[in-house]
């Protein structure tokens, strides 16, 4: 079954009691049992819900995983993954990643004795030298947020297997399974903020963890039952509905992104454009090899490298909305240093290249000419 068909049919079947094509929204907190522990697969809604099950089967199918577990947010999904570790364990992560992930790692779990190292994962020698005997998880974000660096999933996963018994996990939010399937590249775990491309309409918060590692998924299911950071049935329904058009939305967004990148790279006021589709991008060949296409996230800096000019541009757009998040049908413009990555200390941000003048774009599905003209007039204000 091809991906475009899977997005609609993977793991799905008409609802058994009514024949409903779309899974109903099961608004219930508990389920009737014939006798203690004798039921129809569900006993309490924190543990499981039929609408959530339909979503989990769909995401598992798209990521070529045996199993998926859904959460109330992407951060909750990451939280559950780290909770499978114990004090003394070491996590190796990229040094250019989402600010919320960095905050969770350093401010919540580090005080409990889990060690984190942040390295440039585009440098395989640095990855290899940073792996320890105590390394239990290698955390990859690719393309990275917001500098769009591309990490070679297959190479990092191979290094990890050779040197340690750590699992390799990939935050696949920026790419979506339409453009990249980490498990097929050797990763053990894939994570999504389903708020973004999977939901696709900026109207729901959610997260997901998918894997074919049965032992790991047992630990994740335990976290669901014990910590309870689960999505509601209506949230699951909205994400299910969003995924049905994932391939259509992402393809149009990617086409639009290329038009925007063409304008930015030729504009005299733009200093540098971060986009893996550019042949000048340091990891262009890696992106071309492991991704179906180059995505719809774009970052750039202006030649007037000041925060004042960046703010002027971000406040001057009429179609691009100044807002956090990404992956929706509408185009967004944001300021990583003060918004998505504001929780990262300035000296840490700037060391990896997240300067105060950096602007990040999430390209939506509007008309490409309108997006190009809107951004152009904002830059020229």
């Amino acid at each position: 079954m091809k991906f475009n068909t899977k997005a609609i049919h993977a793991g799905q079947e008409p609802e058994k009691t009514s024949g409903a094509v779309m899974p109903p929204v099961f608004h219930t907190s508990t389920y009737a049992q014939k006798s203690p522990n004798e039921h129809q697969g569900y006993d309490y809604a924190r543990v499981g819900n039929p609408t959530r099950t339909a979503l989990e089967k769909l995401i598992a199918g798209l990521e070529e995983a045996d199993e998926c577990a859904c959460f109330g947010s992407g951060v909750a999904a990451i939280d559950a993954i780290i909770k499978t570790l114990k004090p003394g364990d070491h996590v190796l992560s990229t040094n250019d990643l989402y600010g919320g992930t960095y905050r969770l790692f350093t401010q919540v779990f580090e005080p409990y004795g889990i060690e984190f190292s942040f390295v440039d994962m585009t440098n395989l020698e640095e990855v290899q030298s940073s792996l320890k005997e105590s390394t239990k998880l290698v955390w990859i974000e690719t393309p990275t947020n917001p500098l769009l660096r591309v990490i070679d999933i297959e190479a990092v996963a191979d290094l990890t297997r050779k040197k340690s018994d750590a699992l390799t996990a990939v935050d696949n939010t920026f790419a979506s399974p339409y453009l990249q399937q980490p498990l097929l590249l050797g990763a053990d775990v894939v994570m999504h903020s389903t708020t973004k491309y999977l939901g696709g309409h900026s109207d729901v918060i959610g997260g997901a963890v998918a894997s074919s590692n049965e032992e790991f998924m047992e630990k994740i299911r335990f976290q669901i039952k014990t910590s309870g950071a689960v999505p509601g049935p209506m949230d699951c329904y909205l994400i299910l509905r969003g995924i049905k058009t994932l391939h259509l939305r992402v393809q149009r967004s990617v086409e639009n992104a290329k038009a925007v990148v063409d304008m930015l790279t030729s504009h005299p006021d733009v200093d540098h454009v971060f986009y893996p589709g550019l042949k000048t991008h340091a990891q262009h060949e890696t992106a071309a090899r492991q991704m179906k296409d180059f995505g719809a996230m774009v970052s750039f800096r202006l030649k007037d490298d000041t925060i004042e000019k960046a703010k002027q541009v971000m406040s001057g757009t009429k179609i691009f909305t100044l807002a956090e998040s990404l992956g929706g049908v509408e185009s967004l413009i944001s300021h990583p240093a003060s918004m998505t990555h504001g929780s990262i200390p300035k000296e840490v941000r700037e060391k990896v290249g997240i300067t105060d003048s950096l602007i990040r774009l999430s390209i939506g599905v509007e008309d490409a000419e309108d997006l190009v003209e809107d951004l152009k007039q904002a830059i020229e204000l």
Side-chain angles (χ1 to χ4, degrees):
M1 190 185 294
K2 302 296 183 182
F3 188 93
N4 294 354
T5 307
K6 284 184 179 180
I8 298 168
H9 296 290
Q12 306 300 295
E13 57 184 22
E15 200 271 327
K16 292 179 181 178
T17 61
S18 66
V21 172
M22 278 296 289
V25 182
F26 284 86
H27 280 297
T28 184
S29 61
T30 192
Y31 307 85
Q33 303 185 35
K34 293 181 180 179
S35 63
N37 296 317
E38 185 183 350
H39 48 71
Q40 299 180 60
Y42 300 93
D43 55 4
Y44 191 65
R46 183 181 69 247
V47 181
N49 174 282
T51 314
R52 194 197 318 165
T53 298
L55 175 60
E56 290 171 342
K57 287 182 177 180
L58 181 55
I59 295 174
L62 297 184
E63 286 290 7
E64 300 292 342
D66 289 345
E67 194 174 351
C68 172
C70 285
F71 291 85
S73 70
V75 175
I78 301 170
D79 179 81
I81 292 171
I82 304 301
K83 282 179 179 174
T84 65
L85 307 176
K86 63 181 185 301
D89 287 346
H90 173 246
V91 178
L92 183 62
S93 174
T94 178
N95 61 0
D96 167 23
L97 79 167
Y98 169 52
T101 306
Y102 182 88
R103 178 177 55 211
L104 182 68
F105 286 176
T106 59
Q107 296 185 38
V108 176
F109 286 106
E110 213 165 47
Y112 285 101
I114 297 176
E115 182 187 2
F116 295 89
S117 297
F118 301 93
V119 303
D120 178 3
M121 284 193 169
T122 65
N123 184 333
L124 294 177
E125 290 182 2
E126 190 171 347
V127 172
Q128 187 172 25
S129 64
S130 300
L131 288 165
K132 305 180 180 182
E133 190 173 328
S134 59
T135 304
K136 299 302 177 186
L137 181 70
V138 174
W139 184 265
I140 298 173
E141 188 181 280
T142 184
T144 62
N145 181 4
L147 296 176
L148 285 305
R149 293 171 178 162
V150 177
I151 296 165
D152 190 328
I153 297 171
E154 188 172 18
V156 172
D158 188 50
L159 281 176
T160 302
R161 280 192 298 271
K162 287 178 178 177
K163 194 167 180 180
S164 73
D165 60 353
L167 295 179
T168 301
V170 177
D171 182 340
N172 202 29
T173 300
F174 261 33
S176 87
Y178 177 66
L179 298 180
Q180 180 174 270
Q181 294 170 306
L183 300 186
L184 297 183
L185 295 168
D188 302 292
V189 179
V190 63
M191 169 267 164
H192 283 279
S193 169
T194 56
T195 309
K196 311 305 193 297
Y197 284 105
L198 294 181
H201 291 80
S202 302
D203 56 4
V204 63
I205 299 289
V209 177
S211 177
S212 296
N213 185 312
E214 186 176 352
E215 181 182 357
F216 171 80
M217 288 306 297
E218 282 182 10
K219 293 178 180 179
I220 292 296
R221 289 289 180 193
F222 176 81
Q223 290 299 329
I224 287 174
K225 183 176 182 178
T226 306
S227 297
V230 298
M234 192 64 196
D235 297 335
C236 294
Y237 173 82
L238 288 171
I239 297 166
L240 262 168
R241 186 175 65 170
I243 291 175
K244 301 293 185 180
T245 58
L246 174 67
H247 51 304
L248 304 174
R249 291 184 287 102
V250 174
Q251 188 60 49
R252 172 57 64 86
S253 292
V254 169
E255 292 168 3
N256 286 350
K258 291 176 180 178
V260 168
V261 168
D262 285 345
M263 182 276 290
L264 289 174
T265 53
S266 61
H267 198 288
D269 294 339
V270 175
D271 179 59
H272 189 81
V273 179
F274 301 85
Y275 185 66
L278 292 170
K279 291 184 179 179
T280 54
H281 188 284
Q283 296 90 43
H284 173 75
E285 291 184 5
T286 301
R289 185 174 67 252
Q290 74 181 22
M291 299 176 70
K292 178 180 177 181
D293 214 320
F294 300 105
M297 299 299 299
V298 182
S299 293
F300 69 99
R301 289 197 193 99
L302 300 163
K303 287 183 178 176
D304 182 351
D305 192 23
T306 63
I307 189 171
E308 290 75 21
K309 180 59 179 177
K311 285 182 177 180
Q312 183 183 52
V313 172
M314 289 183 286
S315 299
T317 57
K318 299 173 182 178
I319 296 175
F320 281 87
T321 301
L322 177 57
E324 294 200 23
S325 200
L326 59 106
V329 291
E330 63 288 307
S331 293
L332 303 179
I333 189 168
S334 66
H335 184 234
S338 65
M339 298 170 76
T340 56
H341 292 69
S343 60
I344 300 178
K346 185 173 182 178
E347 62 274 15
V348 177
R349 291 197 311 265
E350 292 190 340
K351 187 176 180 180
V352 298
I354 306 173
T355 61
D356 284 345
S357 61
L358 185 72
I359 296 171
R360 192 192 76 178
L361 306 174
S362 172
I363 309 299
V365 301
E366 302 95 337
D367 187 276
E369 289 186 17
D370 289 338
L371 294 177
V372 167
E373 289 304 313
D374 185 42
L375 201 55
K376 187 177 180 181
Q377 66 81 28
I379 292 172
E380 296 171 356
L381 285 174

